Each structure stands twice: as C-alpha cells, then as structure tokens.
Amino acid sequence: MMEKLNMVIGAFFSEVGTDLLATLTKFDHNTDKIRNILLVNNAWSDKDFEHAKDEIQNLTYDIEIDGENTEAIKFLESTKDELVDKRKFLLALLENPNLLEHESFTELLWAVFHFMEELEHRKDLSRLPTADYQHLSGDTTRVYGLLIKEWLQYMEHLMNNYPYLFSLALRTNPFDPSAKVEISE
C-alpha cells in the first residue's frame, strides 16, 4: 500500500508540486537558508535526510504577497489558472483510498485545494484589500511549508527505492538554482 501511495505522491509532484515549489521559493525571504538545507545530492544518507527534516521543522517560512508586487500578482494569477486546470487531477488524488494512510500528504492536498478555491473566488487578484493579501500570504505560506516537508520525504523514498527517479528529481530540484535536467559529464 505504501508503494501505491508513493506513486500517487510522485504523480502529484510531477504534475503540480515541483513547479509550485520552484515558484514559491522566489517569494520566501528565507529561501537561501532553506536552499542550504535542501540541496539534496547523490551522497546523501538517511542521516542527512533526518538532519534536514529536523532543520525544516524549526524554520519559519516568510512569504509576503501584496498588491504592490507585480511579480506576486502574476504568481497568484498563474497559480490560480494552473491549479484550476489541474482540479480533476487533484480530485482524483483525494479519491484515492490509500491517502487515509498518509495524513501529512492529505493535509497538503487540502491546503492546496483551499488555496485554489481562495484564488478562484476572487475576480481581480490585482485589486484586493490589504487584509485579503495577508490572508492569501498565510494560505501560500501554509502550502509552501507542507510542500517542503512532503517533497523531502518523497526525495528520501526515491533515493532508497528508485535511483533512476531520484536522479531526475535531483536534476529538477526546485531548491537548486543550478539544477538542469540535461546530464552533463
């Protein structure tokens, strides 16, 4: 059952999670600190993953979105479109009975759904009251923190069970600014 669940989690990161993480890192004021913790590589051991998990538990994520930042508005608009386009995929994930065995991933999916619905119900994301931007910042921060935790767990699973998938995940690591999918010598 855990293998099936990890396949579901892998599909989530392939379709939604990795790209969302890569985008969110641009808005977190602590990205450099997080990046230093999450530069996973082939030499990592189980102990390295445990250390990283301990480190991210103590982090404070700091994502601020306001009406003055045009990049943040573009992020909200594009994320709204992307998540709404992936609604059927995300719903199919929630329908998977194996999710009952993985509370933290279920919590992540609910946070993503909530964020999508918050965005979807706002007609003009560039003209919101300050309190609304603060609320969306909180929703974004919640999704970001949960994504980071699940991504790290998933990376450990890949390292221990699927080295070929782990190789690709390393080359698309959203925390590695020099990551590129092409394999260089």
Side-chain angles (χ1 to χ4, degrees):
M1 181 163 3
M2 285 308 291
E3 282 303 308
K4 288 180 182 178
L5 180 58
N6 279 306
M7 287 175 61
V8 169
I9 293 170
F12 169 80
F13 279 104
S14 291
E15 290 292 319
V16 178
T18 301
D19 289 341
L20 188 55
L21 263 178
T23 303
L24 286 171
T25 61
K26 298 173 187 169
F27 295 101
D28 185 354
H29 300 294
N30 295 324
T31 294
D32 289 337
K33 184 174 185 171
I34 294 167
R35 183 173 285 135
N36 288 335
I37 297 168
L38 297 174
L39 283 176
V40 180
N41 62 54
N42 282 322
W44 272 41
S45 66
D46 290 339
K47 187 176 181 178
D48 292 314
F49 278 100
E50 288 307 314
H51 181 263
K53 287 176 196 174
D54 290 342
E55 290 285 317
I56 64 170
Q57 289 291 10
N58 299 318
L59 290 178
T60 301
Y61 305 107
D62 185 21
I63 295 179
E64 289 182 39
I65 295 177
D66 61 48
E68 304 297 316
N69 184 339
T70 57
E71 289 302 311
I73 300 304
K74 287 178 188 175
F75 157 73
L76 291 176
E77 291 169 346
S78 66
T79 301
K80 172 184 173 178
D81 293 341
E82 289 172 29
L83 291 177
V84 168
D85 285 346
K86 303 279 184 182
R87 181 191 310 272
K88 286 183 182 178
F89 169 76
L90 293 168
L91 281 170
L93 293 180
L94 274 179
E95 292 171 354
N96 189 315
N98 295 326
L99 283 181
L100 297 174
E101 301 299 317
H102 201 302
E103 286 181 37
S104 61
F105 185 68
T106 303
E107 184 181 354
L108 168 60
L109 282 180
W110 281 119
V112 170
F113 266 100
H114 173 75
F115 185 48
M116 174 181 61
E117 290 174 353
E118 289 281 357
L119 294 174
E120 189 176 26
H121 289 317
R122 288 169 173 80
K123 292 186 190 317
D124 186 354
L125 291 166
S126 66
R127 298 176 187 266
L128 298 175
T130 300
D132 233 13
Y133 286 119
Q134 290 170 345
H135 180 85
L136 290 173
S137 293
D139 290 340
T140 306
T141 301
R142 180 182 313 108
V143 167
Y144 185 53
L146 293 169
L147 268 172
I148 287 172
K149 291 174 187 171
E150 286 304 314
W151 179 84
L152 187 57
Q153 294 261 41
Y154 182 62
M155 291 294 285
E156 183 176 26
H157 167 75
L158 292 180
M159 181 193 75
N160 289 328
N161 298 288
Y162 299 99
Y164 56 96
L165 292 174
F166 182 63
S167 171
L168 178 60
L170 288 177
R171 291 179 279 123
T172 58
N173 182 338
F175 300 100
D176 185 351
S178 65
K180 61 180 188 171
V181 75
E182 295 85 8
I183 299 171
S184 56
E185 310 253 348

